[in-house]
Structures are given as structure tokens and as C-alpha cells.
Amino acid sequence: MKWPPFSYLRARSLDEVWRAQAEYGPGAQLVAGGQTLLATLAFRLSEPRILVDITRVPDLAGVTLGDGALRIGALTRHAELGRDVLVARHAPLLAQAVPLIAHPAIRNRGTIGGSLAYADPAAELPACIVALDATLVLCSPRGQRRVPARDFFTGLFETALQPDELIAAVEVPCATPATRVAIDEVARRSGDYAMAGLAACLALGADGVVASPRLVCFGVGTGPVSAVRAAAALAGRPLTQESIAAAAAALDADLDPPADLHGPPEMKLHLVRILLRRILTRFLPAQENAA
């Protein structure tokens, strides 16, 4: 199908974005990477009056470090996340996630802000920022507000964004020497959406005791799903094969995955158990791992 007719504006500032939204209302559609929007235009699922290109708005760009957190501008492309030195050092989970995202062409165009705003339940980055206990910086003509990542995703393709808001940045607490992170997923082919995935972040003390574990699943619900009972089975205990088994068993109470074209709920739950064991085993002491 052909795209519907629309006007185009390349905004140079947030003020230009706000003016376009004031003039066109819901008919103003923001575009950055455009990976989702271009498909919806082709199928006439979106019929904007004007496309507002925000790729040249400086307030939405850049990766900076300060006050114990890494601030990642919403326009940061997936490929940039994968090669940025600050991201690799202070938010390595995001760097690990990049190779799992679709294909190189999409990673070169897609942005972290677009991925989070679209909130696909099978996407990697939403699960990562919840696992990292990140904060989203949202802006509108009324000013800025900060929303914890755990509260941002509200349903299937739904978020806490108001109609006149956009994501300006993501603030991620910096990793410490005790931080352990990992992400893994199962997909039918490289570049496909995940059938099931898991992002993990925890602190591992010198005595091997787990603190502040966050286990976030994707591809198994209407958005990122925090496995709070599985995390509770790990918290305050030494990381061992036994504690990992307890966490895997607790997933039954955490997840209620829907059936989809990939398979039934039981299969998805089985895949998450495998991923949890695979990820946590990486953090075991060498002798425990060998055992």
C-alpha cells in the first residue's frame, strides 16, 4: 500500500516540536528512527497530518555521565549504544542487548527512545531498563517529569507517556564492581523477535551473597514482566545451584504467558526457566560452576 499524504517538519528545537503539536494536535506524529512508523504508514495504520522529525533536536541527543548515573539521550541509536565506551563501562547490560536487536540495518536507524515509547513486549531494551532500575525523563510544554522504568510500561504497547510528552532521556544508575548483568533470549532465527527472553541485574558480594536482584522477562506478557518471586528466592542467599533452582521454581508464580504463534504458555515458561539457569550460572564461582 502507499503512504497517506502528510506534511513534514524537521524540528531544530523542542519549542518547534511543541508548536507543531499545538497546531496539529493528534495529527502531529513524531519520527526519529522510524522503524515502526514506516510500516504503520504503509498499512494505513497511521495517518498523520504532519511528520515531525526530531533527529536534529540537540536536547534529545548524547550520552553523558554525572551524579552516579548515565544519561542516555532518547535519540541514541541502537548501534551507538553498542559501541559507546560509557555505556559499556557503566551500563553494560545495554551494550550486551544490542546484538540481539533485529538486524544491523535496524540497529543503525532505531533509537532507544523509539523502542521504549513503542513498548513492544518482545523488545529487549524495555526489559533492560526495568532490570537496571532506570528512570525515564519525559518532557512536554509543561516541563520535565521523571518516571521509574518499572512504572512506565502500563500495558500492551501502552506507556505512561501523555499525548503531548516525549522521551528526552534515560537515566541509568552506574554499575559497581559488585554488579552482575546479563541478557539472553530464544528466537527462531537471528534477528527475529524473541519467543522468550530474560534480562538480569544483581549485586554479588565478596561472600557470594546476592543483593538487589532484578529479573525481567520479555516476550511472555504484555510488556516487561518482573519475576519478583524468583528474585526473592535469590535475595540474601549465596548464589549456588540450589538457590538458582529455587528461583527457577518460583517462576511458576511470576509468569502467566499467553499462547501465541510461537507456542503454548507451558513452552514459554520452560524457555524462561532455561534462560534463568543459563544466565545465573554465569555468575557462579568457578568451583561451584564446575560442580
Side-chain angles (χ1 to χ4, degrees):
M1 295 182 67
K2 295 182 178 179
W3 290 1
F6 52 79
S7 300
Y8 172 82
L9 168 68
R10 173 170 282 174
R12 303 282 179 171
S13 68
L14 286 174
D15 285 340
E16 287 191 38
V17 176
W18 309 146
R19 286 197 294 270
Q21 288 183 331
E23 180 177 355
Y24 292 93
Q29 174 67 59
L30 305 184
V31 59
Q35 292 303 309
T36 300
L37 177 63
L38 299 187
T40 61
L41 287 172
F43 287 100
R44 296 295 180 101
L45 298 174
S46 297
E47 296 193 34
R49 294 174 59 198
I50 185 171
L51 284 187
V52 183
D53 185 339
I54 60 174
T55 57
R56 302 295 177 88
V57 177
D59 292 340
L60 308 179
V63 178
T64 56
L65 180 65
D67 297 327
L70 191 67
R71 181 183 173 97
I72 303 170
L75 293 180
T76 305
R77 301 193 186 279
H78 305 325
E80 293 172 334
L81 282 176
R83 60 176 179 259
D84 188 279
V85 174
L86 290 176
V87 172
R89 182 179 303 161
H90 301 290
L93 183 62
L94 297 177
Q96 292 180 27
V98 169
L100 302 176
I101 300 172
H103 302 284
I106 290 176
R107 296 196 289 269
N108 286 334
R109 292 296 303 164
T111 63
I112 186 171
S115 178
L116 301 181
Y118 186 55
D120 191 300
E124 294 83 3
L125 294 181
C128 286
I129 69 160
V130 175
L132 292 171
D133 199 26
T135 299
L136 286 94
V137 182
L138 313 182
C139 63
S140 73
R142 302 181 304 279
Q144 286 191 354
R145 68 184 180 110
R146 285 170 165 76
V147 177
R150 61 182 176 273
D151 299 328
F152 181 73
F153 303 99
T154 59
L156 184 62
F157 299 107
E158 295 180 347
T159 71
L161 277 170
Q162 298 299 314
D164 62 346
E165 285 184 318
L166 56 80
I167 299 173
V170 182
E171 295 175 342
V172 181
C174 290
T176 71
T179 301
R180 302 291 185 272
V181 296
I183 181 171
D184 205 347
E185 67 182 32
V186 177
R188 292 192 181 276
R189 298 170 300 180
S190 176
D192 281 3
Y193 279 111
M195 300 164 62
L198 178 67
C201 178
L202 55 89
L204 199 59
D207 54 1
V209 172
V210 176
S212 305
R214 288 183 292 275
L215 307 171
V216 184
C217 308
F218 55 99
V220 295
T222 59
V225 180
S226 293
V228 293
R229 293 173 180 84
L234 294 171
R237 297 178 60 184
L239 187 64
T240 63
Q241 295 288 1
E242 289 74 20
S243 62
I244 292 173
L251 286 172
D252 285 341
D254 281 322
L255 302 181
D256 184 21
D260 60 18
L261 56 86
H262 296 303
E266 295 80 9
M267 184 199 73
K268 286 181 168 285
L269 185 56
H270 175 67
L271 292 177
V272 176
R273 286 198 194 96
I274 291 174
L275 293 172
L276 183 142
R277 292 191 180 99
R278 183 185 298 172
I279 285 175
L280 294 179
T281 298
R282 301 177 194 175
F283 307 144
L284 286 172
Q287 62 273 23
E288 176 76 17
N289 208 338

